[in-house]
Amino acid sequence: MDKHPGHSLIIALSMYSILPMPQVDWREDNMRWSLACLPVVGGLAGLLLGGWCWLAVSRSMAPLLFAAGAVLLPLLLSGGFHMDGFLDAADGIFSRRDRETSLQIMKDPHCGPFAVLCGGALLLVNAGSWSQLLSCFALLPAACLTPLAARSLTVMAGSRLPYASTSTLGALFADRAAKGVKKAGVAEAALSLLLLPAAGLLAGGFPALCAAAMAVAAALLWYVYFRRLTLRRFGGVTGDLLGFLVQTEELFLLLGLALGSLFIPQ
């Protein structure tokens, strides 16, 4: 039993964010709930985004400046942790090599051409989505919840999917996780995804609810595809692939909201 429940949160915040935290030993009893605490960082990112949205709306900020800030804030809070995994995973996934070679490519610290292309595309689509959402105030609250939802889905993947043979850090967190993390991951994912349509309904009524529901459907479809991809190509997930999932789930949620905003009367 974890004698110090707060230690799991401290480890999660020190691992997944740049927030200064007191030093805690990475013992099994301290790490039991660390993986399940990942959405806390998403919640903090959502608060930062909420403040940025308020500033943008109240001061009539230009869409391009707003989009740049909205894209950078979660990256800065995480210290680029998940983006690093996304870039490594992109090189491995799009190399189209055999399983072992692809896994070794992901472990290579050098940045390949697929990482550069995918990273640029990810940032571009995210910025475009945020720029579009600035014109639809009703969906901004739901958009601020996307970091939380993306990380909750990642907890579900990290606690329920097997790990590939080369995985180290991700497997370490999974091996030391409490048995209840599997159930907690599903509960966190379900709750966070339900919050998006709820936020849409409260802020913009039924049309905004429908737009948010479309974004949630896109995120769930992507999760199903990601699960199939990782099991077939790599035999399981790695820390890099989980970082890839965080970034792509945010992408699909934001893009779904942005596309849904096109059908909301202004």
Side-chain angles (χ1 to χ4, degrees), residues 7 13 20 62 67 115 146 224:
H7 286 182
L13 290 174
T146 56
V224 171

mmCIF file with all atom_site columns, all heavy atoms in Angstrom, residues 7 13 20 62 67 115 146 224:
data_model
loop_
_atom_site.group_PDB
_atom_site.id
_atom_site.type_symbol
_atom_site.label_atom_id
_atom_site.label_alt_id
_atom_site.label_comp_id
_atom_site.label_asym_id
_atom_site.label_entity_id
_atom_site.label_seq_id
_atom_site.pdbx_PDB_ins_code
_atom_site.Cartn_x
_atom_site.Cartn_y
_atom_site.Cartn_z
_atom_site.occupancy
_atom_site.B_iso_or_equiv
_atom_site.pdbx_formal_charge
_atom_site.auth_seq_id
_atom_site.auth_comp_id
_atom_site.auth_asym_id
_atom_site.auth_atom_id
_atom_site.pdbx_PDB_model_num
ATOM 1  N N   . HIS A 1 7   ? 3.077   11.198 -3.233  1.00 0.00 ? 7   HIS A N   1
ATOM 2  C CA  . HIS A 1 7   ? 4.330   10.962 -3.924  1.00 0.00 ? 7   HIS A CA  1
ATOM 3  C C   . HIS A 1 7   ? 4.100   10.561 -5.381  1.00 0.00 ? 7   HIS A C   1
ATOM 4  O O   . HIS A 1 7   ? 4.903   10.901 -6.258  1.00 0.00 ? 7   HIS A O   1
ATOM 5  C CB  . HIS A 1 7   ? 5.139   9.880  -3.202  1.00 0.00 ? 7   HIS A CB  1
ATOM 6  C CG  . HIS A 1 7   ? 5.754   10.368 -1.924  1.00 0.00 ? 7   HIS A CG  1
ATOM 7  N ND1 . HIS A 1 7   ? 6.553   9.579  -1.118  1.00 0.00 ? 7   HIS A ND1 1
ATOM 8  C CD2 . HIS A 1 7   ? 5.687   11.579 -1.305  1.00 0.00 ? 7   HIS A CD2 1
ATOM 9  C CE1 . HIS A 1 7   ? 6.950   10.277 -0.063  1.00 0.00 ? 7   HIS A CE1 1
ATOM 10 N NE2 . HIS A 1 7   ? 6.423   11.481 -0.156  1.00 0.00 ? 7   HIS A NE2 1
ATOM 11 N N   . LEU A 1 13  ? 4.126   14.792 -11.867 1.00 0.00 ? 13  LEU A N   1
ATOM 12 C CA  . LEU A 1 13  ? 4.341   16.192 -12.235 1.00 0.00 ? 13  LEU A CA  1
ATOM 13 C C   . LEU A 1 13  ? 5.801   16.464 -12.590 1.00 0.00 ? 13  LEU A C   1
ATOM 14 O O   . LEU A 1 13  ? 6.089   17.245 -13.503 1.00 0.00 ? 13  LEU A O   1
ATOM 15 C CB  . LEU A 1 13  ? 3.904   17.107 -11.092 1.00 0.00 ? 13  LEU A CB  1
ATOM 16 C CG  . LEU A 1 13  ? 2.400   17.189 -10.828 1.00 0.00 ? 13  LEU A CG  1
ATOM 17 C CD1 . LEU A 1 13  ? 2.117   18.004 -9.580  1.00 0.00 ? 13  LEU A CD1 1
ATOM 18 C CD2 . LEU A 1 13  ? 1.668   17.765 -12.026 1.00 0.00 ? 13  LEU A CD2 1
ATOM 19 N N   . PRO A 1 20  ? 8.548   22.674 -10.860 1.00 0.00 ? 20  PRO A N   1
ATOM 20 C CA  . PRO A 1 20  ? 9.526   22.222 -9.855  1.00 0.00 ? 20  PRO A CA  1
ATOM 21 C C   . PRO A 1 20  ? 8.821   21.424 -8.759  1.00 0.00 ? 20  PRO A C   1
ATOM 22 O O   . PRO A 1 20  ? 7.816   21.862 -8.208  1.00 0.00 ? 20  PRO A O   1
ATOM 23 C CB  . PRO A 1 20  ? 10.113  23.530 -9.319  1.00 0.00 ? 20  PRO A CB  1
ATOM 24 C CG  . PRO A 1 20  ? 9.062   24.564 -9.595  1.00 0.00 ? 20  PRO A CG  1
ATOM 25 C CD  . PRO A 1 20  ? 8.373   24.145 -10.853 1.00 0.00 ? 20  PRO A CD  1
ATOM 26 N N   . ALA A 1 62  ? -5.348  38.863 -32.372 1.00 0.00 ? 62  ALA A N   1
ATOM 27 C CA  . ALA A 1 62  ? -5.321  38.347 -33.742 1.00 0.00 ? 62  ALA A CA  1
ATOM 28 C C   . ALA A 1 62  ? -5.313  36.817 -33.712 1.00 0.00 ? 62  ALA A C   1
ATOM 29 O O   . ALA A 1 62  ? -4.645  36.215 -32.857 1.00 0.00 ? 62  ALA A O   1
ATOM 30 C CB  . ALA A 1 62  ? -4.087  38.855 -34.478 1.00 0.00 ? 62  ALA A CB  1
ATOM 31 N N   . ALA A 1 67  ? -3.450  31.461 -31.899 1.00 0.00 ? 67  ALA A N   1
ATOM 32 C CA  . ALA A 1 67  ? -3.171  30.073 -32.239 1.00 0.00 ? 67  ALA A CA  1
ATOM 33 C C   . ALA A 1 67  ? -1.755  29.674 -31.841 1.00 0.00 ? 67  ALA A C   1
ATOM 34 O O   . ALA A 1 67  ? -1.529  28.576 -31.314 1.00 0.00 ? 67  ALA A O   1
ATOM 35 C CB  . ALA A 1 67  ? -3.386  29.844 -33.737 1.00 0.00 ? 67  ALA A CB  1
ATOM 36 N N   . ALA A 1 115 ? 10.180  12.609 -38.776 1.00 0.00 ? 115 ALA A N   1
ATOM 37 C CA  . ALA A 1 115 ? 9.903   13.372 -37.559 1.00 0.00 ? 115 ALA A CA  1
ATOM 38 C C   . ALA A 1 115 ? 9.721   14.847 -37.880 1.00 0.00 ? 115 ALA A C   1
ATOM 39 O O   . ALA A 1 115 ? 8.807   15.503 -37.369 1.00 0.00 ? 115 ALA A O   1
ATOM 40 C CB  . ALA A 1 115 ? 11.045  13.180 -36.556 1.00 0.00 ? 115 ALA A CB  1
ATOM 41 N N   . THR A 1 146 ? -9.102  19.529 -24.164 1.00 0.00 ? 146 THR A N   1
ATOM 42 C CA  . THR A 1 146 ? -8.462  18.515 -25.008 1.00 0.00 ? 146 THR A CA  1
ATOM 43 C C   . THR A 1 146 ? -7.165  17.959 -24.416 1.00 0.00 ? 146 THR A C   1
ATOM 44 O O   . THR A 1 146 ? -6.914  16.754 -24.556 1.00 0.00 ? 146 THR A O   1
ATOM 45 C CB  . THR A 1 146 ? -8.211  19.060 -26.423 1.00 0.00 ? 146 THR A CB  1
ATOM 46 O OG1 . THR A 1 146 ? -7.436  20.268 -26.357 1.00 0.00 ? 146 THR A OG1 1
ATOM 47 C CG2 . THR A 1 146 ? -9.528  19.346 -27.126 1.00 0.00 ? 146 THR A CG2 1
ATOM 48 N N   . VAL A 1 224 ? -8.816  3.427  -31.378 1.00 0.00 ? 224 VAL A N   1
ATOM 49 C CA  . VAL A 1 224 ? -8.976  2.051  -31.865 1.00 0.00 ? 224 VAL A CA  1
ATOM 50 C C   . VAL A 1 224 ? -7.921  1.736  -32.928 1.00 0.00 ? 224 VAL A C   1
ATOM 51 O O   . VAL A 1 224 ? -7.306  0.664  -32.917 1.00 0.00 ? 224 VAL A O   1
ATOM 52 C CB  . VAL A 1 224 ? -10.400 1.844  -32.431 1.00 0.00 ? 224 VAL A CB  1
ATOM 53 C CG1 . VAL A 1 224 ? -10.514 0.490  -33.131 1.00 0.00 ? 224 VAL A CG1 1
ATOM 54 C CG2 . VAL A 1 224 ? -11.427 1.950  -31.310 1.00 0.00 ? 224 VAL A CG2 1
#
